[in-house]
Amino acid sequence: MSSLGRIETDLDRLQAGLQELVRRLRALEEENRSLKARQETLVSERAGLVQRNEEARSRVEAMIERLKALESAG
């Protein structure tokens, strides 16, 4: 094989490798976008659950106070 033929073969391999790297980069970028969106959803859901938990805690505490008041009155 001539020197020019080897260079062309090397360039072809290099180009194929670069195309594969670009394909992988795009796939990782898409996966990263998807993971960030999922993280935002989970953070939002967690905030809602924390709020609901605090509301439930307040209601339970209020019920306990009412029960104590009824017990003291009775």
Side-chain angles (χ1 to χ4, degrees):
M1 181 181 280
S2 70
S3 184
L4 181 58
R6 281 192 299 271
I7 292 173
E8 287 177 351
T9 301
D10 290 345
L11 287 175
D12 288 343
R13 272 194 238 124
L14 180 60
Q15 183 179 13
L18 287 173
Q19 288 172 344
E20 177 62 16
L21 285 174
V22 168
R23 185 194 66 75
R24 288 182 185 189
L25 173 65
R26 289 183 179 148
L28 288 171
E29 287 172 337
E30 178 57 36
E31 181 181 10
N32 191 35
R33 276 191 293 275
S34 175
L35 289 170
K36 283 182 179 181
R38 180 69 178 139
Q39 180 183 18
E40 287 177 17
T41 299
L42 291 172
V43 167
S44 177
E45 287 175 3
R46 183 185 183 282
L49 290 171
V50 167
Q51 181 179 353
R52 286 172 50 198
N53 189 38
E54 288 300 318
E55 291 168 358
R57 183 186 324 272
S58 294
R59 287 194 305 270
V60 168
E61 288 173 357
M63 282 189 271
I64 290 170
E65 291 301 317
R66 284 195 301 271
L67 289 171
K68 285 180 182 178
L70 285 173
E71 188 178 77
S72 295

